[in-house]
Amino acid sequence: MKLKHLFLSCVIGWSASVFSQNIEQSPQTSGNPVFPGWYADPEGAVFEGEYWIYPTYSAAYTDQIYMDAFSSKDLVNWTKHPKVLSKENISWLWRALWAPAVIHANDKYYFYFGANDIQNNNEPGGIGVAVADNPAGPFKDVLGKPLIDKIVNGAQPIDQFVFKDDDGQYYMYYGGWGHCNMVKMGADLTSIVPFEDGTIYKEVTPENYVEGPFMLKRNGKYYFMWSEGGWTGPDYCVAYAIADSPFGPFKRVGKILEPDENVARGAGHHSLFKGPGKDEWYIIYHRRPIGETDGNYRVTCIDRMYFDKDGYIKPVKMTFEGVTASPLK
Ligand code: FUB
């Protein structure tokens, strides 16, 4: 009998150890943050059947001279692609490489970035565009100078988001310092063309807007989203408007993402993934762990985002677990 018990407990112990190894090797959820390191302003995109995240490297401004990317087939297991964009390929960058926006068009990948954190119109910097032939780069600056290098309508040229409307037209929404402009992209996606009324910059700033614009079209409605508050503080958050046109007006509906004293503060500058299921949405955002106060200590997280039956966005519940696997078909 004793020998049998010994044998059984060995078998049970071995299975438990194999089981726990399996759990370690194949996590059931992404966990939050989804990958280690200080990373902010995550831009989510789906390219070639994989999820991609392009974040800002969150560090001292003069150390922000490159960007890493991360890819995943299932949202749970992530692969790092170091330095997909870096100083060697942007002659005019000297600091503050911020807030990527990446699209696939014209058989190329276009990577829009903010650089240098300009404080006035005499400083070199603004929004630039780099190109590569695959989503892991290396991306190379196209113009040798910024695409937008001036403060127009009070909007600091940072935090660009590039949106394609159903008619194929691309628009860029951008701006910090509490002002948001939109511009119309040329067919080459490296130039800006006038709107039909001849203007180049249209201010579309909603109430409380600070920075980090994002646009989603769903069921014919334009969901415009942005960050509010100061990004170095605890109360940074995300709010949204719903409009019938890409030009607005963007009447503020309410907040989507807010600090949660049990999880994290400073949650904002988001983007979205569409999963393979019907109305399956994920919000990708950065947040600051409770107890951290350094402005740059920001981590990239993913949680589910839901619409209610009337088309409004439900407040997001931030988690430590993250999301379960959802491979793209
Ligand atoms: O990461 C630098 C800046 O912080 C971004 O441009 C802002 O949106 C804020 O997230």
Side-chain angles (χ1 to χ4, degrees):
M1 278 298 272
K2 273 186 185 156
L3 210 60
K4 188 176 163 193
H5 277 145
L6 185 66
F7 173 74
L8 274 177
S9 69
C10 282
V11 169
I12 289 165
W14 175 80
S15 331
S17 126
V18 167
F19 183 64
S20 69
Q21 278 173 22
N22 278 344
I23 285 188
E24 271 166 35
Q25 284 163 9
S26 310
Q28 304 299 299
T29 61
S30 64
N32 272 329
V34 282
F35 36 75
W38 302 124
Y39 289 103
D41 315 326
E43 161 90 345
V46 170
F47 296 135
E48 299 172 6
E50 292 194 57
Y51 299 97
W52 284 79
I53 296 179
Y54 299 86
T56 299
Y57 168 51
S58 194
Y61 289 7
T62 47
D63 292 337
Q64 292 179 307
I65 51 173
Y66 68 86
M67 281 172 173
D68 301 324
F70 299 82
S71 65
S72 173
K73 290 187 190 315
D74 59 8
L75 291 179
V76 170
N77 300 287
W78 290 88
T79 302
K80 180 173 175 176
H81 304 267
K83 297 193 174 178
V84 297
L85 177 67
S86 60
K87 182 162 173 45
E88 299 79 66
N89 290 321
I90 314 170
S91 59
W92 49 277
L93 165 73
W94 72 278
R95 66 169 189 175
L97 185 56
W98 284 355
V102 187
I103 60 166
H104 183 213
N106 304 338
D107 285 330
K108 295 188 187 77
Y109 293 86
Y110 294 83
F111 191 127
Y112 302 86
F113 55 90
N116 301 350
D117 182 35
I118 67 164
Q119 301 298 303
N120 59 62
N121 283 340
N122 299 320
E123 291 184 17
I127 294 170
V129 53
V131 174
D133 56 17
N134 79 82
F139 287 89
K140 297 188 176 164
D141 177 41
V142 181
L143 302 172
K145 61 181 184 177
L147 176 64
I148 300 176
D149 66 352
K150 295 283 181 284
I151 296 152
V152 179
N153 299 326
Q156 189 191 27
I158 60 164
D159 287 8
Q160 62 295 323
F161 177 74
V162 178
F163 166 71
K164 183 185 185 185
D165 208 346
D166 292 342
D167 61 2
Q169 178 61 52
Y170 286 87
Y171 299 102
M172 178 188 286
Y173 299 87
Y174 77 91
W177 295 351
H179 293 272
C180 184
N181 289 334
M182 73 181 288
V183 293
K184 185 176 179 180
M185 302 300 295
D188 59 6
L189 296 173
T190 60
S191 60
I192 294 168
V193 296
F195 290 104
E196 273 175 22
D197 63 5
T199 59
I200 303 280
Y201 297 91
K202 282 189 189 300
E203 180 163 7
V204 291
T205 311
E207 182 192 359
N208 283 7
Y209 172 95
V210 173
E211 59 195 10
F214 183 89
M215 177 66 92
L216 165 72
K217 191 170 185 186
R218 173 183 172 274
N219 295 343
K221 296 283 185 192
Y222 294 83
Y223 290 79
F224 187 64
M225 311 175 197
W226 62 88
S227 294
E228 300 183 347
W231 66 267
T232 56
D235 300 326
Y236 202 50
C237 58
V238 174
Y240 78 113
I242 305 175
D244 293 321
S245 144
F247 308 106
F250 299 122
K251 187 167 166 18
R252 188 178 183 280
V253 174
K255 290 185 183 176
I256 303 169
L257 187 63
E258 291 194 78
D260 178 340
E261 285 307 310
N262 295 314
V263 183
R265 303 186 181 119
H269 201 129
H270 76 301
S271 57
L272 301 179
F273 280 139
K274 168 78 181 70
K278 185 170 182 294
D279 231 12
E280 179 184 337
W281 296 98
Y282 298 88
I283 185 166
I284 314 128
Y285 61 97
H286 73 238
R287 68 192 195 195
R288 186 168 298 102
I290 299 282
E292 299 290 1
T293 49
D294 187 306
N296 280 315
Y297 286 2
R298 300 175 290 176
V299 291
T300 288
C301 299
I302 304 182
D303 279 300
R304 289 299 302 267
M305 193 187 88
Y306 299 95
F307 291 84
D308 73 13
K309 62 178 177 25
D310 298 315
Y312 293 105
I313 301 175
K314 295 184 178 181
V316 169
K317 171 91 190 85
M318 292 196 289
T319 69
F320 292 111
E321 296 77 28
V323 296
T324 55
S326 187
L328 292 159
K329 286 167 188 140

